[in-house]
Amino acid sequence: MTSLTARIADGVAAIPADQWDACAGTANPFLGHAFLSALEASGSVGGRSGWQPIPIVVDGDDGAPIAIAPAYAKTHSQGEYVFDHAWADAWERAGGSYYPKLQVAVPFTPVPGPRLLLRDPAAAPALIAALEAVTDRHQLSSAHATFVAPEQVPAFEAAGWLVREGTQFHWRNDGYATFDDFLAALSSRKRKAIRKERATAVEGLTIRHVTGGEIGAREWDAFWTFYQDTGSRKWGRPYLTRAFFPLLGEALGDRVLLILAERDGVPIAGALNLIGADALYGRYWGCTQDVPFLHFELCYYQAIDAAIARGLATVEAGAQGEHKLARGYVPVPTWSAHYIPDAGFRRAVADFLTRERAAVEADQEFMGAMTPFRRG
C-alpha cells in the first residue's frame, strides 16, 4: 500500500456493489450494498431525512476500494440508539453548532458489526484518519461510530477516539436441537412461565414464517401497517418509507424472514428479521390487535425457533429491553467510538463516559445474575 487515496462518495449506490461487498463481506446483511442502497433508493435516507449518505472510501493501488466507512452527515440525533442529546445540548449552550456531525453507522439499525469495512485490514488506520480529516476540514463538531464490532474497538482506541459502552440482550444457541432443549436449560418456574405465555399468545392464531418470494404485496402491505403503528408510537413518525420494504425483499431474498400472526387468514401482527451468516437479527414489529404476550411470541420465541432450525448461534433482538432477560436473552456489551476535536469538549465527554461505564458494567453484572437459566 504505497499510494492510498481517500475520498467521499456520493452515496452507497455510487460505489459498484461488488467493490462495496468485497470490503463489507456477506456475514452481516445490514452492511451489504443491497441493504444500504435500498435505504437510498427508497428515500429512507437522503433528501430531508437528516441522514445524508457520504461513504468515506480509501482506494488501493489498483484503484478499487480497500476500506469503506458507511458514513452519514447527520443534522439530528434520531435513529441512532446511542443517545448523545445531552452532548448536543451542552455544545449548543456553549455557543457551538453540534450539527451536522459525522455518523458511521447503519441507519435506524442498532445491530453491532464492523464500521470499518476492510478488504485490506492494514487500511484501518488510514480509514480512521480519513474520518478525522473529514470532520476537521468541514469543521464538524464530532464523528461517531456506533455499534462497533468488538474486534474493531482497539483500532479506534489506538487512534485516540473515546469509547462508550452500552448493553443489549442477545439469545445464545448452546447447541439446542429444539425449543424444548432450550427450555430444559431454564429453571422450572421460568420454563412453566414461558410455556404459558406461548400458549396464551397463539390461541386462535396461525403463525407463518415467510421468506424470499413468499413475501408478496399482501404481506408487505400488512407489515407496513404494523410498522407505521409502532413507529408512530415510538418515534413520532416511521423512519423507513413504504418503498423500502419490497426493495429489501427483492435485494435480500431468502435472507428476509417475516413472521406473521394471522386470525382467520388475516394478518394481525408481524415481526421482520434478517438472517446473517451466524445470527438472526430481529428488527421491526407491529400489530393491529392487542393480544397478550404476542410481542414476546413473535419477536423472541419464534425468533429462537427460527435460529435453532437454521443452526444459527445467536438472536439479536434489537436495542434495550430488560424484559428480554426472562425470555432467555442475556446482557452483552455494545460499543461506540467518538472523535471530538475540541479539547475542552472532549475532556467533558471523557469524564462523563468514565462515570457512565462504571454504571453500565454494574448493571450488566446485576442483570447477568438475573437470567432464567438453572444454576449449577
Side-chain angles (χ1 to χ4, degrees):
M1 294 192 304
T2 58
S3 177
L4 295 180
T5 302
R7 58 187 170 91
I8 299 175
D10 187 20
V12 174
I15 302 171
D18 61 335
Q19 293 185 8
W20 182 284
D21 290 337
C23 295
T26 60
N28 188 318
F30 298 99
L31 294 165
H33 191 277
F35 183 89
L36 294 171
S37 62
L39 290 174
E40 294 178 6
S42 65
S44 299
V45 299
R48 301 176 65 181
S49 68
W51 290 82
Q52 185 60 39
I54 51 167
I56 296 173
V57 182
V58 175
D59 292 320
D61 295 333
D62 59 359
I66 58 171
I68 304 173
Y72 297 81
K74 287 293 306 297
T75 57
H76 54 66
S77 290
Q78 276 69 56
E80 298 166 11
Y81 302 93
V82 176
F83 302 109
D84 64 350
H85 299 89
W87 302 1
D89 181 62
W91 189 239
E92 298 281 347
R93 285 190 286 106
S97 297
Y98 193 73
Y99 305 108
K101 62 178 181 175
L102 186 65
Q103 193 78 26
V104 182
V106 179
F108 327 121
T109 307
V111 169
R115 294 301 177 256
L116 308 172
L117 311 182
L118 304 171
R119 179 162 63 98
D120 183 349
L127 184 55
I128 292 175
L131 294 171
E132 294 173 357
V134 169
T135 305
D136 295 341
R137 292 175 186 176
H138 293 273
Q139 298 184 318
L140 305 180
S141 69
S142 50
H144 310 266
T146 45
F147 296 100
V148 178
E151 63 270 18
Q152 290 193 342
V153 171
F156 286 100
E157 288 181 315
W161 289 43
L162 301 177
V163 172
R164 188 177 192 182
E165 185 173 356
T167 304
Q168 285 188 350
F169 298 88
H170 298 173
W171 178 83
R172 293 171 175 164
N173 187 350
D174 193 18
Y176 306 123
T178 66
F179 193 90
D180 280 342
D181 288 345
F182 158 61
L183 287 182
L186 307 184
S187 69
S188 175
R189 183 172 62 87
K190 293 296 185 181
R191 197 160 53 237
K192 291 176 182 176
I194 289 175
R195 286 187 172 127
K196 184 177 181 180
E197 283 187 359
R198 298 202 75 178
T200 301
V202 302
E203 187 175 356
L205 301 178
T206 300
I207 307 299
R208 285 204 300 142
H209 290 213
V210 289
T211 62
E214 299 171 326
I215 309 174
R218 173 180 177 269
E219 286 77 16
W220 284 130
D221 284 341
F223 187 76
W224 172 245
T225 299
F226 306 147
Y227 174 71
Q228 280 188 301
D229 178 68
T230 300
S232 63
R233 285 186 283 109
K234 282 190 173 182
W235 314 304
R237 66 177 182 84
Y239 293 135
L240 300 170
T241 66
R242 173 64 179 86
F244 171 76
F245 294 98
L247 286 175
L248 178 71
E250 293 168 13
L252 291 182
D254 287 340
R255 300 188 79 181
V256 179
L257 170 63
L258 183 58
I259 302 175
L260 295 171
E262 297 180 344
R263 190 185 302 278
D264 299 325
V266 178
I268 66 161
L272 180 64
N273 306 264
L274 293 189
I275 302 169
D278 209 24
L280 182 73
Y281 302 97
R283 290 307 310 122
Y284 306 108
W285 132 274
C287 62
T288 54
Q289 295 181 20
D290 187 14
V291 177
F293 307 119
L294 188 56
H295 172 245
F296 302 147
E297 175 65 22
L298 292 194
C299 295
Y300 307 145
Y301 303 140
Q302 290 289 333
I304 290 172
D305 279 334
I308 290 173
R310 291 168 171 79
L312 300 176
T314 61
V315 176
E316 299 187 19
Q320 288 99 36
E322 293 183 13
H323 57 278
K324 296 171 187 170
L325 274 174
R327 279 89 202 171
Y329 289 68
V330 299
V332 299
T334 59
W335 308 96
S336 58
H338 309 271
Y339 173 65
I340 300 174
D342 183 87
F345 190 34
R346 175 190 164 84
R347 282 194 299 270
V349 171
D351 179 66
F352 167 80
L353 292 180
T354 298
R355 289 181 282 110
E356 182 189 52
R357 177 176 289 193
V360 167
E361 292 181 349
D363 282 346
Q364 288 174 0
E365 184 177 0
F366 174 74
M367 291 185 293
M370 296 175 60
T371 62
F373 294 92
R374 289 187 285 111
R375 302 291 182 254

